[in-house]
Amino acid sequence: MFSKRKETLQIDPQQRELYEHARKRILQKKRLFQHFIVFILGSVFMTVLNLVFGFGKDITFFGVNWFVVGILCWAFLFALHFCNVWLFNTFMGQDWADRQMERLVAKQKEEIALLQKDIDLMYPKEDLLQKKEAFIKGKQLTAEEEQKNRKQMITMIAAAGEKNELGKDNDLVWHLPNDFKRFKTLTTDHHIIMGRKTFESFPKLLPNRVHVVISRNKDYEAEGAIVVQNMEDALEITKNDPQPFIIGGGEIYTIGMQHADAIELTRVHEGVFEADTFFPEIDTKVWTLEKEEFHDKDEKHKYPFTYLTYKRK
């Protein structure tokens, strides 16, 4: 009985109303049985009072003993309740309640089957499976796109003359304070990848940066830096850095050109610079110039220069 009642919890409002009506009728039946018991006990009690104790024999009602009137009224109500109980028990007993529940559940299942049939007609199973597969692929594609958007931006940063001159004797051939500030701003809190000579040109470690030094010499040691033998190992070290920087020198730039996603180049103008280290040529078929910012010479800058930002196509 409990399990059948539990099944009906999902019926629609119309069926719910039928169910509630049936439940109320069952409660009425229960109360009727209770009244029936009360009338039986009341009849026995009145009979004992009158016959055994003689209570009410001297009282009349329109010339008729009041007890007789009471018994007749009580008998009428008793008969009425008896008939009601018999009718309830015959036509609305436990079997009736079970049938009512089964009918409601069966009707609900029929409506579900009709709904399923309509769904199958509007959306064939094969189409739904195809759409599901497409949806899953779409989610995977979106994940791949997000992964691509989160891709590491490997950036080469350098200052070079108009003929790609970088420096001579492991040193720069110009002094551009604003370019130094820009270098510091861009590379702070990132990994900086360099060759051995570039590292040794520093008077000390650059603060707030992780130094990764590439050297073919397996025995080479650089205090405060990570030493690797090739660019692949250097990039593996920096894989958790969203934007590691390749900072030179010339050979490292040439190797880095194959791996870089962006180039931050300061192009120094007007000077004729004697150099022994050069920045590689930028192939415009591979690289797109996205931004340029010109700065003229002043009391602190002997040469005019332009900040150029390239992105790989």
Side-chain angles (χ1 to χ4, degrees):
M1 179 68 178
F2 177 79
S3 62
K4 292 178 181 178
R5 180 178 178 182
K6 188 175 181 180
E7 288 181 325
T8 63
L9 294 177
Q10 302 299 323
I11 61 179
D12 60 30
Q14 182 180 5
Q15 294 177 24
R16 168 66 67 183
E17 184 177 354
L18 292 174
Y19 169 77
E20 290 298 329
H21 177 71
R23 186 180 65 84
K24 290 178 180 179
R25 295 293 290 171
I26 292 173
L27 292 176
Q28 289 175 358
K29 175 183 175 181
K30 182 178 179 181
R31 288 195 293 268
L32 191 59
F33 272 107
Q34 292 173 346
H35 293 166
F36 181 63
I37 297 300
V38 170
F39 277 107
I40 291 178
L41 294 177
S43 299
V44 173
F45 181 70
M46 289 180 66
T47 302
V48 171
L49 285 178
N50 186 261
L51 297 179
V52 176
F53 298 99
F55 183 79
K57 289 184 177 182
D58 298 330
I59 302 174
T60 60
F61 184 77
F62 293 105
V64 180
N65 189 301
W66 78 269
F67 176 75
V68 175
V69 175
I71 288 295
L72 290 175
C73 292
W74 203 270
F76 172 76
L77 295 175
F78 175 81
L80 180 62
H81 275 69
F82 178 82
C83 290
N84 284 336
V85 170
W86 178 77
L87 290 172
F88 264 114
N89 189 60
T90 302
F91 299 105
M92 299 184 69
Q94 186 66 40
D95 292 339
W96 174 87
D98 291 342
R99 287 195 304 270
Q100 184 79 347
M101 296 297 181
E102 291 173 357
R103 184 175 68 86
L104 293 175
V105 172
K107 185 176 180 180
Q108 181 69 16
K109 289 180 177 179
E110 289 177 1
E111 292 187 0
I112 292 174
L114 290 174
L115 289 174
Q116 185 63 51
K117 186 176 179 180
D118 291 339
I119 292 173
D120 292 338
L121 289 175
M122 291 186 293
Y123 306 101
K125 189 174 181 179
E126 294 181 357
D127 292 347
L128 288 176
L129 291 174
Q130 292 177 356
K131 289 180 180 180
K132 181 179 179 181
E133 292 177 359
F135 175 73
I136 293 174
K137 290 180 179 178
K139 288 185 68 176
Q140 293 175 345
L141 181 62
T142 300
E144 292 173 0
E145 290 175 349
E146 289 179 355
Q147 181 67 23
K148 186 177 180 180
N149 291 335
R150 294 194 299 268
K151 182 182 177 183
Q152 187 182 51
M153 179 70 72
I154 302 171
T155 304
M156 295 203 303
I157 185 167
E162 292 182 345
K163 294 183 179 180
N164 291 324
E165 310 98 314
L166 287 172
K168 184 179 180 181
D169 298 329
N170 208 29
D171 196 7
L172 298 175
V173 293
W174 49 71
H175 180 72
L176 303 173
N178 286 350
D179 185 49
F180 294 153
K181 292 179 181 179
R182 182 170 183 266
F183 176 87
K184 179 180 178 181
T185 299
L186 290 174
T187 60
T188 294
D189 296 326
H190 292 287
H191 291 68
I192 49 176
I193 302 171
M194 69 205 79
R196 176 185 59 82
K197 292 182 180 180
T198 300
F199 177 74
E200 292 177 349
S201 70
F202 295 159
K204 60 179 181 180
L205 293 176
L206 302 181
N208 302 316
R209 277 154 280 194
V210 179
H211 297 61
V212 182
V213 180
I214 299 176
S215 174
R216 295 188 184 91
N217 183 357
K218 295 182 180 180
D219 297 326
Y220 180 75
E221 294 182 0
E223 185 177 356
I226 302 171
V227 180
V228 296
Q229 276 69 58
N230 53 62
M231 181 63 72
E232 287 74 16
D233 290 344
L235 294 176
E236 178 65 23
I237 293 293
T238 67
K239 64 182 180 180
N240 293 324
D241 186 342
Q243 189 176 21
F245 287 85
I246 299 172
I247 67 170
E251 185 178 353
I252 299 300
Y253 282 134
T254 300
I255 298 172
M257 189 69 78
Q258 306 169 22
H259 302 275
D261 304 298
I263 300 173
E264 294 289 352
L265 180 66
T266 301
R267 183 69 75 184
V268 184
H269 306 296
E270 294 186 4
V272 178
F273 307 109
E274 186 178 351
D276 57 15
T277 308
F278 297 87
F279 192 81
E281 287 289 340
I282 298 176
D283 188 350
T284 55
K285 295 180 181 179
V286 178
W287 298 93
T288 300
L289 178 61
E290 290 201 344
K291 183 180 179 182
E292 57 181 313
E293 181 182 323
F294 176 76
H295 293 264
D296 205 351
K297 58 185 177 180
D298 55 31
E299 65 275 6
K300 293 184 178 180
H301 300 82
K302 184 178 179 180
Y303 306 101
F305 56 92
T306 302
Y307 295 139
L308 302 174
T309 300
Y310 290 89
K311 292 291 180 64
R312 186 181 293 275
K313 291 183 179 179

